[in-house]
Amino acid sequence: MSLAPNLAPVSSLLGTWRGEGSGHYPTIDDFSYTEEVTFTDVGKPFLLYVQRTWGSDGSPMHTETGYLRVVGPDAVEFVLSQPTGQAELAEGTLTAEGDTLVLELEARVLNTATAKHVENTRRTYRLAGDTLTTAFDMAAVGQEMTRHLDSRMRRARRAGART
């Protein structure tokens, strides 16, 4: 199966990334976590995305799934779903220079009736070599846009590797 031509700029994301992160927000206590992110080619013009996190004791914390779409030479869209009752519709830019790839996205958020209210989010993914860093900001539960999460991951598996 060959990669769809529009995905060439993000092909370096393919595989599984794993590392540590930290979280904070005005309404909660600070915390640390382990994060794993996988970008998979499914033979279509988008990448499948799966993210999972675990607490310091190994208990599951968060998960989300979605699709990364490259819609122009420097434009991306990220459609994400979360079991906490939110769906993010993110749009942003793609910048590639040397071995560095940066995705910067801002999202409108749809909330179910029982979900904590999230107004909007901002995500940055920065890939340099085999290190993927992420930053996640959100405006939620009456708070202004504020940094919530930061993580630093290393490549755990390349695309196509078997576990």
Side-chain angles (χ1 to χ4, degrees):
M1 179 173 4
S2 63
L3 190 65
N6 68 305
L7 298 176
V10 295
S11 63
S12 56
L13 288 171
L14 289 167
T16 299
W17 306 85
R18 190 174 177 99
E20 303 306 314
S22 62
H24 31 265
Y25 207 68
T27 59
I28 61 172
D29 293 332
D30 291 355
F31 61 96
S32 60
Y33 61 94
T34 299
E35 181 170 18
E36 183 177 273
V37 168
T38 302
F39 290 93
T40 305
D41 174 30
V42 293
K44 303 294 267 176
F46 53 82
L47 297 181
L48 173 64
Y49 165 87
V50 177
Q51 182 264 13
R52 300 183 306 165
T53 60
W54 298 268
S56 56
D57 64 355
S59 61
M61 291 181 68
H62 179 74
T63 188
E64 57 190 33
T65 61
Y67 305 95
L68 178 63
R69 300 165 16 113
V70 178
V71 296
D74 60 355
V76 290
E77 295 175 349
F78 215 178
V79 179
L80 298 159
S81 177
Q82 300 169 12
T84 50
Q86 290 87 18
E88 289 180 57
L89 304 174
E91 299 173 291
T93 59
L94 163 91
T95 306
E97 189 173 301
D99 76 340
T100 301
L101 174 69
V102 179
L103 306 175
E104 295 181 288
L105 300 127
E106 295 203 23
R108 298 181 310 275
V109 180
L110 303 174
N111 300 276
T112 64
T114 60
K116 287 185 180 176
H117 186 73
V118 178
E119 290 181 37
N120 50 35
T121 64
R122 184 180 310 131
R123 294 170 180 258
T124 302
Y125 295 83
R126 180 180 303 276
L127 175 60
D130 273 350
T131 301
L132 178 64
T133 58
T134 69
F136 178 76
D137 304 335
M138 71 177 177
V141 295
Q143 302 294 313
E144 297 290 324
M145 183 69 75
T146 303
R147 177 63 42 91
H148 179 40
L149 305 169
D150 289 288
S151 69
R152 181 179 177 86
M153 295 173 278
R154 302 281 297 165
R155 187 184 296 275
R157 281 189 306 278
R158 293 200 177 274
R162 305 223 183 249
T163 56

